[in-house]
PDB file of all heavy atoms in Angstrom:
ATOM      1  N   VAL A 347      23.830 -29.690 -62.337  1.00 98.00           N
ATOM      2  CA  VAL A 347      22.721 -29.707 -63.274  1.00 98.00           C
ATOM      3  C   VAL A 347      22.344 -28.250 -63.539  1.00 98.00           C
ATOM      4  O   VAL A 347      22.316 -27.428 -62.622  1.00 98.00           O
ATOM      5  CB  VAL A 347      21.520 -30.511 -62.720  1.00 98.00           C
ATOM      6  CG1 VAL A 347      20.978 -29.898 -61.438  1.00 98.00           C
ATOM      7  CG2 VAL A 347      20.410 -30.623 -63.759  1.00 98.00           C
ATOM      8  N   ILE A 348      22.095 -27.929 -64.800  1.00 98.00           N
ATOM      9  CA  ILE A 348      21.752 -26.553 -65.182  1.00 98.00           C
ATOM     10  C   ILE A 348      20.274 -26.484 -65.511  1.00 98.00           C
ATOM     11  O   ILE A 348      19.763 -27.227 -66.358  1.00 98.00           O
ATOM     12  CB  ILE A 348      22.590 -26.087 -66.386  1.00 98.00           C
ATOM     13  CG1 ILE A 348      24.081 -26.081 -66.022  1.00 98.00           C
ATOM     14  CG2 ILE A 348      22.152 -24.687 -66.835  1.00 98.00           C
ATOM     15  CD1 ILE A 348      24.995 -25.748 -67.186  1.00 98.00           C
ATOM     16  N   LEU A 349      19.577 -25.587 -64.819  1.00 98.00           N
ATOM     17  CA  LEU A 349      18.152 -25.356 -65.029  1.00 98.00           C
ATOM     18  C   LEU A 349      17.964 -24.018 -65.735  1.00 98.00           C
ATOM     19  O   LEU A 349      18.614 -23.033 -65.376  1.00 98.00           O
ATOM     20  CB  LEU A 349      17.401 -25.318 -63.700  1.00 98.00           C
ATOM     21  CG  LEU A 349      17.673 -26.445 -62.695  1.00 98.00           C
ATOM     22  CD1 LEU A 349      16.847 -26.217 -61.438  1.00 98.00           C
ATOM     23  CD2 LEU A 349      17.367 -27.800 -63.309  1.00 98.00           C
ATOM     24  N   ALA A 350      17.075 -23.960 -66.698  1.00 98.00           N
ATOM     25  CA  ALA A 350      16.785 -22.702 -67.384  1.00 98.00           C
ATOM     26  C   ALA A 350      15.282 -22.495 -67.451  1.00 98.00           C
ATOM     27  O   ALA A 350      14.547 -23.357 -67.943  1.00 98.00           O
ATOM     28  CB  ALA A 350      17.382 -22.690 -68.788  1.00 98.00           C
ATOM     29  N   HIS A 351      14.841 -21.356 -66.954  1.00 97.00           N
ATOM     30  CA  HIS A 351      13.428 -21.003 -67.092  1.00 97.00           C
ATOM     31  C   HIS A 351      13.138 -20.663 -68.545  1.00 97.00           C
ATOM     32  O   HIS A 351      14.023 -20.260 -69.298  1.00 97.00           O
ATOM     33  CB  HIS A 351      13.086 -19.818 -66.176  1.00 97.00           C
ATOM     34  CG  HIS A 351      11.621 -19.570 -66.066  1.00 97.00           C
ATOM     35  ND1 HIS A 351      10.941 -18.746 -66.939  1.00 97.00           N
ATOM     36  CD2 HIS A 351      10.689 -20.042 -65.193  1.00 97.00           C
ATOM     37  CE1 HIS A 351       9.656 -18.718 -66.597  1.00 97.00           C
ATOM     38  NE2 HIS A 351       9.482 -19.503 -65.557  1.00 97.00           N
ATOM     39  N   TYR A 352      11.872 -20.823 -68.936  1.00 97.00           N
ATOM     40  CA  TYR A 352      11.446 -20.513 -70.300  1.00 97.00           C
ATOM     41  C   TYR A 352      11.773 -19.075 -70.706  1.00 97.00           C
ATOM     42  O   TYR A 352      11.827 -18.771 -71.899  1.00 97.00           O
ATOM     43  CB  TYR A 352       9.934 -20.706 -70.431  1.00 97.00           C
ATOM     44  CG  TYR A 352       9.462 -22.135 -70.486  1.00 97.00           C
ATOM     45  CD1 TYR A 352       8.464 -22.572 -69.609  1.00 97.00           C
ATOM     46  CD2 TYR A 352       9.964 -23.036 -71.421  1.00 97.00           C
ATOM     47  CE1 TYR A 352       7.990 -23.878 -69.668  1.00 97.00           C
ATOM     48  CE2 TYR A 352       9.496 -24.337 -71.479  1.00 97.00           C
ATOM     49  CZ  TYR A 352       8.507 -24.750 -70.599  1.00 97.00           C
ATOM     50  OH  TYR A 352       8.039 -26.042 -70.663  1.00 97.00           O
ATOM     51  N   TYR A 353      11.937 -18.189 -69.736  1.00 96.00           N
ATOM     52  CA  TYR A 353      12.156 -16.782 -70.052  1.00 96.00           C
ATOM     53  C   TYR A 353      13.632 -16.420 -70.192  1.00 96.00           C
ATOM     54  O   TYR A 353      13.981 -15.247 -70.338  1.00 96.00           O
ATOM     55  CB  TYR A 353      11.530 -15.893 -68.970  1.00 96.00           C
ATOM     56  CG  TYR A 353      10.024 -15.989 -68.837  1.00 96.00           C
ATOM     57  CD1 TYR A 353       9.365 -15.429 -67.736  1.00 96.00           C
ATOM     58  CD2 TYR A 353       9.247 -16.635 -69.792  1.00 96.00           C
ATOM     59  CE1 TYR A 353       7.987 -15.510 -67.598  1.00 96.00           C
ATOM     60  CE2 TYR A 353       7.870 -16.730 -69.656  1.00 96.00           C
ATOM     61  CZ  TYR A 353       7.246 -16.165 -68.551  1.00 96.00           C
ATOM     62  OH  TYR A 353       5.873 -16.243 -68.417  1.00 96.00           O
ATOM     63  N   GLN A 354      14.515 -17.402 -70.118  1.00 97.00           N
ATOM     64  CA  GLN A 354      15.933 -17.126 -70.289  1.00 97.00           C
ATOM     65  C   GLN A 354      16.279 -16.915 -71.770  1.00 97.00           C
ATOM     66  O   GLN A 354      15.524 -17.301 -72.673  1.00 97.00           O
ATOM     67  CB  GLN A 354      16.762 -18.287 -69.737  1.00 97.00           C
ATOM     68  CG  GLN A 354      16.723 -18.403 -68.224  1.00 97.00           C
ATOM     69  CD  GLN A 354      17.399 -17.228 -67.534  1.00 97.00           C
ATOM     70  OE1 GLN A 354      18.617 -17.141 -67.484  1.00 97.00           O
ATOM     71  NE2 GLN A 354      16.607 -16.326 -66.986  1.00 97.00           N
ATOM     72  N   ASP A 355      17.445 -16.319 -71.979  1.00 96.00           N
ATOM     73  CA  ASP A 355      17.940 -16.131 -73.336  1.00 96.00           C
ATOM     74  C   ASP A 355      18.035 -17.495 -74.027  1.00 96.00           C
ATOM     75  O   ASP A 355      18.413 -18.495 -73.403  1.00 96.00           O
ATOM     76  CB  ASP A 355      19.320 -15.461 -73.274  1.00 96.00           C
ATOM     77  CG  ASP A 355      19.842 -15.135 -74.654  1.00 96.00           C
ATOM     78  OD1 ASP A 355      20.525 -15.995 -75.253  1.00 96.00           O
ATOM     79  OD2 ASP A 355      19.575 -14.018 -75.130  1.00 96.00           O
ATOM     80  N   PRO A 356      17.702 -17.574 -75.312  1.00 97.00           N
ATOM     81  CA  PRO A 356      17.762 -18.866 -76.015  1.00 97.00           C
ATOM     82  C   PRO A 356      19.103 -19.580 -75.899  1.00 97.00           C
ATOM     83  O   PRO A 356      19.143 -20.815 -75.834  1.00 97.00           O
ATOM     84  CB  PRO A 356      17.457 -18.475 -77.470  1.00 97.00           C
ATOM     85  CG  PRO A 356      16.552 -17.288 -77.346  1.00 97.00           C
ATOM     86  CD  PRO A 356      17.082 -16.528 -76.161  1.00 97.00           C
ATOM     87  N   ALA A 357      20.203 -18.832 -75.859  1.00 97.00           N
ATOM     88  CA  ALA A 357      21.516 -19.481 -75.757  1.00 97.00           C
ATOM     89  C   ALA A 357      21.655 -20.253 -74.458  1.00 97.00           C
ATOM     90  O   ALA A 357      22.294 -21.308 -74.418  1.00 97.00           O
ATOM     91  CB  ALA A 357      22.616 -18.417 -75.861  1.00 97.00           C
ATOM     92  N   ILE A 358      21.057 -19.756 -73.386  1.00 98.00           N
ATOM     93  CA  ILE A 358      21.092 -20.464 -72.104  1.00 98.00           C
ATOM     94  C   ILE A 358      20.138 -21.652 -72.137  1.00 98.00           C
ATOM     95  O   ILE A 358      20.460 -22.745 -71.656  1.00 98.00           O
ATOM     96  CB  ILE A 358      20.765 -19.497 -70.947  1.00 98.00           C
ATOM     97  CG1 ILE A 358      21.920 -18.507 -70.755  1.00 98.00           C
ATOM     98  CG2 ILE A 358      20.492 -20.265 -69.654  1.00 98.00           C
ATOM     99  CD1 ILE A 358      21.707 -17.497 -69.648  1.00 98.00           C
ATOM    100  N   GLN A 359      18.955 -21.459 -72.722  1.00 98.00           N
ATOM    101  CA  GLN A 359      18.022 -22.581 -72.842  1.00 98.00           C
ATOM    102  C   GLN A 359      18.665 -23.759 -73.575  1.00 98.00           C
ATOM    103  O   GLN A 359      18.466 -24.923 -73.215  1.00 98.00           O
ATOM    104  CB  GLN A 359      16.764 -22.144 -73.589  1.00 98.00           C
ATOM    105  CG  GLN A 359      15.900 -21.123 -72.859  1.00 98.00           C
ATOM    106  CD  GLN A 359      14.590 -20.871 -73.581  1.00 98.00           C
ATOM    107  OE1 GLN A 359      13.956 -21.790 -74.091  1.00 98.00           O
ATOM    108  NE2 GLN A 359      14.158 -19.614 -73.613  1.00 98.00           N
ATOM    109  N   ASP A 360      19.464 -23.448 -74.584  1.00 98.00           N
ATOM    110  CA  ASP A 360      20.010 -24.499 -75.440  1.00 98.00           C
ATOM    111  C   ASP A 360      21.089 -25.338 -74.759  1.00 98.00           C
ATOM    112  O   ASP A 360      21.410 -26.438 -75.245  1.00 98.00           O
ATOM    113  CB  ASP A 360      20.567 -23.889 -76.725  1.00 98.00           C
ATOM    114  CG  ASP A 360      19.466 -23.443 -77.689  1.00 98.00           C
ATOM    115  OD1 ASP A 360      18.313 -23.877 -77.502  1.00 98.00           O
ATOM    116  OD2 ASP A 360      19.758 -22.660 -78.608  1.00 98.00           O
ATOM    117  N   ILE A 361      21.675 -24.852 -73.653  1.00 97.00           N
ATOM    118  CA  ILE A 361      22.690 -25.667 -72.975  1.00 97.00           C
ATOM    119  C   ILE A 361      22.194 -26.209 -71.637  1.00 97.00           C
ATOM    120  O   ILE A 361      22.947 -26.883 -70.929  1.00 97.00           O
ATOM    121  CB  ILE A 361      24.004 -24.875 -72.761  1.00 97.00           C
ATOM    122  CG1 ILE A 361      23.778 -23.690 -71.818  1.00 97.00           C
ATOM    123  CG2 ILE A 361      24.585 -24.413 -74.080  1.00 97.00           C
ATOM    124  CD1 ILE A 361      25.084 -23.051 -71.392  1.00 97.00           C
ATOM    125  N   ALA A 362      20.941 -25.938 -71.297  1.00 98.00           N
ATOM    126  CA  ALA A 362      20.401 -26.395 -70.017  1.00 98.00           C
ATOM    127  C   ALA A 362      20.061 -27.883 -70.062  1.00 98.00           C
ATOM    128  O   ALA A 362      19.743 -28.435 -71.113  1.00 98.00           O
ATOM    129  CB  ALA A 362      19.168 -25.585 -69.657  1.00 98.00           C
ATOM    130  N   ASP A 363      20.114 -28.507 -68.887  1.00 98.00           N
ATOM    131  CA  ASP A 363      19.684 -29.899 -68.760  1.00 98.00           C
ATOM    132  C   ASP A 363      18.170 -30.001 -68.715  1.00 98.00           C
ATOM    133  O   ASP A 363      17.585 -30.971 -69.218  1.00 98.00           O
ATOM    134  CB  ASP A 363      20.283 -30.514 -67.493  1.00 98.00           C
ATOM    135  CG  ASP A 363      21.794 -30.578 -67.557  1.00 98.00           C
ATOM    136  OD1 ASP A 363      22.320 -31.335 -68.380  1.00 98.00           O
ATOM    137  OD2 ASP A 363      22.458 -29.849 -66.785  1.00 98.00           O
ATOM    138  N   PHE A 364      17.547 -29.013 -68.067  1.00 97.00           N
ATOM    139  CA  PHE A 364      16.089 -28.971 -67.975  1.00 97.00           C
ATOM    140  C   PHE A 364      15.617 -27.548 -68.257  1.00 97.00           C
ATOM    141  O   PHE A 364      16.230 -26.583 -67.807  1.00 97.00           O
ATOM    142  CB  PHE A 364      15.610 -29.390 -66.578  1.00 97.00           C
ATOM    143  CG  PHE A 364      15.971 -30.795 -66.195  1.00 97.00           C
ATOM    144  CD1 PHE A 364      16.929 -31.033 -65.219  1.00 97.00           C
ATOM    145  CD2 PHE A 364      15.363 -31.885 -66.803  1.00 97.00           C
ATOM    146  CE1 PHE A 364      17.272 -32.321 -64.849  1.00 97.00           C
ATOM    147  CE2 PHE A 364      15.695 -33.186 -66.446  1.00 97.00           C
ATOM    148  CZ  PHE A 364      16.656 -33.408 -65.466  1.00 97.00           C
ATOM    149  N   ILE A 365      14.519 -27.444 -69.006  1.00 97.00           N
ATOM    150  CA  ILE A 365      13.893 -26.156 -69.310  1.00 97.00           C
ATOM    151  C   ILE A 365      12.442 -26.258 -68.860  1.00 97.00           C
ATOM    152  O   ILE A 365      11.786 -27.285 -69.078  1.00 97.00           O
ATOM    153  CB  ILE A 365      13.933 -25.863 -70.825  1.00 97.00           C
ATOM    154  CG1 ILE A 365      15.367 -25.966 -71.342  1.00 97.00           C
ATOM    155  CG2 ILE A 365      13.365 -24.483 -71.135  1.00 97.00           C
ATOM    156  CD1 ILE A 365      15.439 -26.141 -72.849  1.00 97.00           C
ATOM    157  N   GLY A 366      11.921 -25.213 -68.228  1.00 96.00           N
ATOM    158  CA  GLY A 366      10.535 -25.270 -67.795  1.00 96.00           C
ATOM    159  C   GLY A 366      10.148 -24.124 -66.903  1.00 96.00           C
ATOM    160  O   GLY A 366      10.823 -23.085 -66.851  1.00 96.00           O
ATOM    161  N   ASP A 367       9.020 -24.303 -66.183  1.00 93.00           N
ATOM    162  CA  ASP A 367       8.570 -23.338 -65.182  1.00 93.00           C
ATOM    163  C   ASP A 367       9.340 -23.573 -63.890  1.00 93.00           C
ATOM    164  O   ASP A 367       9.925 -24.643 -63.689  1.00 93.00           O
ATOM    165  CB  ASP A 367       7.064 -23.490 -64.935  1.00 93.00           C
ATOM    166  CG  ASP A 367       6.242 -22.940 -66.095  1.00 93.00           C
ATOM    167  OD1 ASP A 367       6.668 -21.946 -66.694  1.00 93.00           O
ATOM    168  OD2 ASP A 367       5.183 -23.516 -66.399  1.00 93.00           O
ATOM    169  N   SER A 368       9.306 -22.599 -62.994  1.00 89.00           N
ATOM    170  CA  SER A 368      10.219 -22.601 -61.846  1.00 89.00           C
ATOM    171  C   SER A 368      10.066 -23.799 -60.913  1.00 89.00           C
ATOM    172  O   SER A 368      11.049 -24.477 -60.603  1.00 89.00           O
ATOM    173  CB  SER A 368      10.059 -21.299 -61.059  1.00 89.00           C
ATOM    174  OG  SER A 368       8.736 -21.150 -60.574  1.00 89.00           O
ATOM    175  N   LEU A 369       8.853 -24.100 -60.452  1.00 91.00           N
ATOM    176  CA  LEU A 369       8.681 -25.198 -59.496  1.00 91.00           C
ATOM    177  C   LEU A 369       8.968 -26.545 -60.146  1.00 91.00           C
ATOM    178  O   LEU A 369       9.596 -27.420 -59.546  1.00 91.00           O
ATOM    179  CB  LEU A 369       7.274 -25.178 -58.906  1.00 91.00           C
ATOM    180  CG  LEU A 369       7.015 -26.226 -57.821  1.00 91.00           C
ATOM    181  CD1 LEU A 369       7.939 -26.022 -56.627  1.00 91.00           C
ATOM    182  CD2 LEU A 369       5.560 -26.182 -57.372  1.00 91.00           C
ATOM    183  N   GLU A 370       8.533 -26.697 -61.376  1.00 93.00           N
ATOM    184  CA  GLU A 370       8.802 -27.933 -62.118  1.00 93.00           C
ATOM    185  C   GLU A 370      10.314 -28.182 -62.198  1.00 93.00           C
ATOM    186  O   GLU A 370      10.785 -29.308 -62.015  1.00 93.00           O
ATOM    187  CB  GLU A 370       8.211 -27.802 -63.522  1.00 93.00           C
ATOM    188  CG  GLU A 370       8.601 -28.903 -64.493  1.00 93.00           C
ATOM    189  CD  GLU A 370       8.298 -28.527 -65.941  1.00 93.00           C
ATOM    190  OE1 GLU A 370       7.791 -27.420 -66.191  1.00 93.00           O
ATOM    191  OE2 GLU A 370       8.589 -29.360 -66.815  1.00 93.00           O
ATOM    192  N   LEU A 371      11.079 -27.128 -62.458  1.00 95.00           N
ATOM    193  CA  LEU A 371      12.533 -27.260 -62.552  1.00 95.00           C
ATOM    194  C   LEU A 371      13.145 -27.667 -61.218  1.00 95.00           C
ATOM    195  O   LEU A 371      14.022 -28.534 -61.158  1.00 95.00           O
ATOM    196  CB  LEU A 371      13.141 -25.947 -63.028  1.00 95.00           C
ATOM    197  CG  LEU A 371      12.881 -25.572 -64.487  1.00 95.00           C
ATOM    198  CD1 LEU A 371      13.418 -24.170 -64.772  1.00 95.00           C
ATOM    199  CD2 LEU A 371      13.512 -26.580 -65.437  1.00 95.00           C
TER     200      LEU A 371
END
């Protein structure tokens, strides 16, 4: 599973399974 924090590059956000804040992820 790929997690991406809100502060990641948009290209990484777009392929993540979950996007959010660190603990939530």
Side-chain angles (χ1 to χ4, degrees):
V347 62
I348 298 175
L349 312 179
H351 191 271
Y352 285 127
Y353 297 168
Q354 290 293 284
D355 185 270
I358 290 180
Q359 293 187 41
D360 286 344
I361 64 170
D363 296 293
F364 298 109
I365 306 161
D367 286 325
S368 60
L369 184 61
E370 170 195 0
L371 289 174

